[in-house]
Amino acid sequence: MPNHEDFNLLIVDDNEMNRDVLRRHLVRQGYQQILAAENGKEALEMLSGHNFDLILLDIQMPQMNGYELLAYLKADLKLSHIPVIMISAVDEIDSVVRCIEMGAEDYLHKPFNRVLLKARTSACLEKKRLRDQEEIYRQQLEEANKKLAEVNQQLEQLSKLDGLTGIANRRYFDDAIAKAWSIAVAEKQTIALIIFDIDFFKQFNDAYGHQAGDECLKQVARVAQRTIKRPHDVVARYGGEEFVVILPNTPLSGAEKLARELRQDVENLQINHAYSAASMYVTISLGVTAVLAGGDRGYSEIIANADKALFLAKQQGKNQVQVWHDGLSAGLIT
Ligand SMILES: [Mg+2]
């Protein structure tokens, strides 16, 4: 428990003798920081410059009386938390009730009973101290919760990112495709998908080492993110050297155009690959598909179809775009 001298007390009384008597009582109880005001106006001036822990307020004062000052204090957000003990020369039940109803903490009447004064003053201050402490804990808790939420958000973010390339990972893709699909169904939109992978990547790794392989993956991911740039498009690492792109509300022609740009952009990186049969540089093969969402279809169908198109691109010599649309890529089936 803090020492008495830590508390700041304010006496408000128009009578000088009363102020002195009260001050002496309080000093004897160990309080050291006591200010006194002789009217409401002076009290308000002091209150604007100091933090008080308790106000001892006389009711009978000229001009602004104790009730008026109390009403003012309780209406002021910056002052309403300071406990007020009302002091009166009369001990009338009506007056006590009125003060308590207005928000006073307690009531004392003159002449002071020293024991009562001591008990009520220290009870008020102790309650105030606990309330202040509670407020500090509440703020600390709020602060801690905010930090925790931030950390959780970062963790959530990290769990959805591919550690090597920094783009979305497979897990993110799984959520994103389900979400994009349900939106496309609701909006009766066409959704397109591109799956692509790096040609002769095993040979690249074997020849240039895994560090160079990682660097190659990073560069391809970066280029893909640069090329696919609408806010709702998703570029994700699907696994190994395989990537996937979700293109919501995109017709097949648009998706195919993007796929061709992407193929060109990757080749333009001019990452030497002496062991590729497709080019002297690192290249990618891409499978593209698009479907009007809805009906009996699920999104697993567009993934499977994009995969079939990619397989076709590989089969036909790599470093190219192949498109799958229902019935038209039948060549693959034979
Ligand atoms: Mg008076």
Side-chain angles (χ1 to χ4, degrees), residues 16-166:
E16 189 179 355
M17 206 177 72
N18 284 344
R19 293 198 297 270
D20 287 345
V21 169
L22 188 50
R23 186 200 292 272
R24 270 204 302 279
H25 277 307
L26 293 169
V27 167
R28 223 174 287 143
Q29 287 170 25
Y31 299 106
Q32 289 177 4
Q33 303 177 61
I34 306 164
L35 289 181
E38 60 175 87
N39 55 49
K41 186 169 169 279
E42 202 179 289
L44 288 175
E45 279 167 17
M46 289 179 174
L47 281 158
S48 72
H50 291 80
N51 286 319
F52 289 100
D53 298 296
L54 178 63
I55 300 168
L56 296 131
L57 176 55
D58 180 33
I59 291 179
Q60 288 85 22
M61 293 190 296
Q63 290 148 4
M64 185 188 267
N65 67 28
Y67 297 123
E68 288 168 317
L69 183 56
L70 178 63
Y72 184 93
L73 294 174
K74 292 303 161 188
D76 187 318
L77 276 180
K78 287 201 285 292
L79 301 173
S80 61
H81 68 286
I82 308 172
V84 179
I85 296 180
M86 301 300 282
I87 293 164
S88 174
V90 290
D91 188 14
E92 290 170 352
I93 293 292
D94 284 354
S95 175
V96 178
V97 170
R98 183 174 172 192
C99 290
I100 301 298
E101 280 177 354
M102 287 176 71
E105 200 73 28
D106 217 328
Y107 190 96
L108 280 167
H109 64 99
K110 293 178 272 198
F112 298 113
N113 175 308
R114 226 184 296 163
V115 178
L116 261 187
L117 173 67
K118 186 177 178 185
R120 291 189 168 158
T121 306
S122 55
C124 273
L125 287 168
E126 178 59 9
K127 267 193 272 181
K128 161 91 164 37
R129 191 184 67 79
L130 290 173
R131 273 203 303 266
D132 289 352
Q133 194 63 49
E134 222 169 78
E135 177 62 17
I136 290 168
Y137 288 152
R138 200 189 57 73
Q139 280 172 10
Q140 286 172 343
L141 188 66
E142 209 171 89
E143 196 60 31
N145 279 337
K146 221 164 77 186
K147 276 191 194 135
L148 189 66
E150 278 167 22
V151 169
N152 279 339
Q153 206 182 355
Q154 282 165 2
L155 278 180
E156 169 96 4
Q157 206 64 32
L158 282 177
S159 71
K160 289 175 173 176
L161 292 183
D162 175 54
L164 178 70
T165 61

Side-chain angles (χ1 to χ4, degrees), residues 74-319:
K74 292 303 161 188
D76 187 318
L77 276 180
K78 287 201 285 292
L79 301 173
S80 61
H81 68 286
I82 308 172
V84 179
I85 296 180
M86 301 300 282
I87 293 164
S88 174
V90 290
D91 188 14
E92 290 170 352
I93 293 292
D94 284 354
S95 175
V96 178
V97 170
R98 183 174 172 192
C99 290
I100 301 298
E101 280 177 354
M102 287 176 71
E105 200 73 28
D106 217 328
Y107 190 96
L108 280 167
H109 64 99
K110 293 178 272 198
F112 298 113
N113 175 308
R114 226 184 296 163
V115 178
L116 261 187
L117 173 67
K118 186 177 178 185
R120 291 189 168 158
T121 306
S122 55
C124 273
L125 287 168
E126 178 59 9
K127 267 193 272 181
K128 161 91 164 37
R129 191 184 67 79
L130 290 173
R131 273 203 303 266
D132 289 352
Q133 194 63 49
E134 222 169 78
E135 177 62 17
I136 290 168
Y137 288 152
R138 200 189 57 73
Q139 280 172 10
Q140 286 172 343
L141 188 66
E142 209 171 89
E143 196 60 31
N145 279 337
K146 221 164 77 186
K147 276 191 194 135
L148 189 66
E150 278 167 22
V151 169
N152 279 339
Q153 206 182 355
Q154 282 165 2
L155 278 180
E156 169 96 4
Q157 206 64 32
L158 282 177
S159 71
K160 289 175 173 176
L161 292 183
D162 175 54
L164 178 70
T165 61
I167 66 171
N169 63 15
R170 173 65 182 269
R171 198 178 130 190
Y172 183 87
F173 168 78
D174 289 341
D175 288 346
I177 185 70
K179 226 173 278 171
W181 182 260
S182 62
I183 290 169
V185 169
E187 308 279 325
K188 299 186 173 58
Q189 287 172 349
T190 298
I191 182 168
L193 203 75
I194 303 172
I195 296 182
F196 66 93
D197 77 3
I198 300 172
D199 297 323
F200 300 101
F201 189 65
K202 187 186 176 304
Q203 288 82 346
F204 185 88
N205 265 327
D206 290 348
Y208 303 103
H210 282 97
Q211 255 179 327
D214 285 352
E215 191 47 46
C216 175
L217 286 167
K218 282 194 229 174
Q219 288 200 51
V220 169
R222 222 174 292 143
V223 160
Q225 272 207 311
R226 213 161 51 214
T227 308
I228 317 290
K229 50 185 178 281
R230 293 179 312 176
H232 295 293
D233 296 343
V234 173
V235 181
R237 187 172 174 201
Y238 201 51
E241 72 273 29
E242 203 164 40
F243 297 82
V244 63
V245 181
I246 307 171
L247 300 164
N249 196 19
T250 305
L252 187 60
S253 57
E256 187 184 350
K257 184 168 166 283
L258 268 178
R260 293 193 189 286
E261 270 176 49
L262 186 52
R263 192 212 61 76
Q264 190 63 59
D265 290 345
V266 171
E267 195 164 21
N268 289 349
L269 285 172
Q270 302 191 348
I271 304 169
N272 287 321
H273 191 346
Y275 304 88
S276 167
S279 165
M280 61 189 292
Y281 302 121
V282 165
T283 56
I284 54 174
S285 297
L286 308 91
V288 186
T289 194
V291 68
L292 180 64
D296 310 332
R297 300 183 134 128
Y299 58 81
S300 59
E301 195 181 317
I302 52 167
I303 299 174
N305 287 349
D307 238 350
K308 285 180 209 163
L310 172 60
F311 184 80
L312 190 63
K314 290 280 182 197
Q315 205 186 39
Q316 309 256 320
K318 307 186 179 179
N319 190 19

